[in-house]
Amino acid sequence: MMKMYLSDANGKMREIDHIENGCWINLVAPTEDEIRYIAHHLDIPIDSIKDALDDEERSRVEKEDNHVLIIVDIPIVAHDEVDGPIYETIPIGMIITNTCFITVCLQENPIFEEFSKNKIKNFYTFMKTRFALQMLYMISTYYLRYLKQINRRTSEIEKELHQSMKNKELFSLLSMEKSLVYFMTSLKANNIVMERLMRLNYLRMYEDDQDLLQDVIIENKQAIEMAEVYSSILSGMMDAFASVISNNLNIVMKFLTAITIVISLPTMVASFYGMNVPIPYQHSPYAFLIAMALAGSLSAATAYIFWKKRYF
């Protein structure tokens, strides 16, 4: 899918149907014809567009004769078979040419929607360097947002684990831990790209642009620190709650064993009095009550002993 947008001097953005100077070209899972069309009209290599469509592509920044290619990883939210959230990362490409700003991604994402719906303050499609920095800032912001969601989800799973004897919650924690690993790897790679943009003169930046890039780097480093802290906490939680689940199961088994012993005593007394041999008080009119009293006394005494030993 290919869409093109253009901002006017007042910041109002409209969708256009052909390439114009200063426009934003948004390619989401583009077809071969769309890729060739953009490559031909803007005189950029096809590989510069296709690289961002490889979900294993590494983050990097490259400067060619007539364009700059920036590839970074962005966070996305998917869902598993039970509609639980799964956090992953995919690459996006930003190609800055002399006339246009191009974004390339494998799928729709909320970061592009923020720009296409003109929700970003001081956003103009023709301010290409500022556009790239604003895009990087939004990416860092979404990492922080999803990290907070992961932390909340971890707290919910923790509450469930206190009473759990199943592995479902542990699998959920494992999914969160994998998400944090993906996030840390992508954030560190993105940080290298931002440091290179700051160090090398790939983009012409004014003082405000440099300040914005500094803010982006700070946000990104904060996201890295948060991901590392959450990952460390989550790793310790998984080890602890694996023992908790095993301990909960042992408590239940101990309780059931104690109940079985208490219940078995009346059965044993009834079995003795049901034998076809002479037994004490078999001719007494109170034989049944005696047997019941003996069974009840044994069960009560055993239950009291187990209670004192905290088996219940």
Side-chain angles (χ1 to χ4, degrees), residues 75 110-111 114 137-147 183:
I111 296 173
E114 295 275 355
Y137 187 84
M138 285 302 302
I139 291 171
S140 298
T141 301
Y142 267 84
Y143 271 113
L144 290 170
R145 181 181 302 180
Y146 289 153
L147 282 169
F183 276 20

Side-chain angles (χ1 to χ4, degrees), residues 7 81 243 262:
S7 296
E81 60 276 4
S243 300
V262 171

Side-chain angles (χ1 to χ4, degrees), residues 107-273:
Q107 64 184 65
E108 287 282 1
N109 60 82
I111 296 173
F112 285 171
E113 291 181 7
E114 295 275 355
F115 289 92
S116 63
K117 294 180 179 178
N118 210 16
K119 295 181 179 179
I120 306 301
K121 186 179 180 181
N122 297 325
F123 165 57
Y124 301 91
T125 59
F126 52 82
M127 298 177 65
K128 297 183 287 294
T129 298
R130 176 63 61 88
F131 190 176
L133 298 179
Q134 288 174 321
M135 182 75 72
L136 291 173
Y137 187 84
M138 285 302 302
I139 291 171
S140 298
T141 301
Y142 267 84
Y143 271 113
L144 290 170
R145 181 181 302 180
Y146 289 153
L147 282 169
K148 291 176 182 178
Q149 291 180 9
I150 290 174
N151 188 44
R152 285 197 297 269
R153 176 59 182 154
T154 301
S155 299
E156 293 172 1
I157 298 172
E158 181 182 359
K159 293 177 182 178
E160 296 172 3
L161 271 169
H162 282 292
Q163 302 297 327
S164 177
M165 290 174 289
K166 300 180 181 179
N167 291 326
K168 175 184 174 183
E169 287 78 11
L170 282 181
F171 286 129
S172 297
L173 285 180
L174 178 61
S175 176
M176 295 297 103
E177 188 173 36
K178 286 173 61 179
S179 298
L180 288 173
V181 172
Y182 293 149
F183 276 20
M184 282 192 294
T185 303
S186 297
L187 283 166
K188 290 177 180 178
N190 289 357
N191 191 66
I192 294 173
V193 170
M194 297 171 193
E195 295 285 357
R196 284 177 62 85
L197 286 174
M198 176 65 75
R199 189 172 64 253
L200 303 176
N201 192 25
Y202 282 169
L203 299 175
R204 185 177 63 182
M205 288 186 285
Y206 299 101
E207 185 176 351
D208 290 344
D209 296 329
Q210 293 176 350
D211 292 341
L212 179 56
L213 181 54
Q214 285 282 6
D215 291 341
V216 173
I217 293 173
I218 291 172
E219 289 285 309
N220 196 74
K221 288 183 177 179
Q222 182 182 354
I224 293 173
E225 293 173 0
M226 286 180 62
E228 288 176 343
V229 170
Y230 290 162
S231 181
S232 178
I233 293 173
L234 195 54
S235 179
M237 281 178 56
M238 288 189 64
D239 293 338
F241 280 112
S243 300
V244 168
I245 289 178
S246 177
N247 189 54
N248 287 345
L249 182 61
N250 289 338
I251 291 172
V252 171
M253 293 302 297
K254 183 171 67 174
F255 175 79
L256 292 176
T257 301
I259 290 295
T260 301
I261 293 173
V262 171
I263 294 176
S264 67
L265 293 174
T267 304
M268 181 178 65
V269 172
S271 299
F272 285 146
Y273 273 85

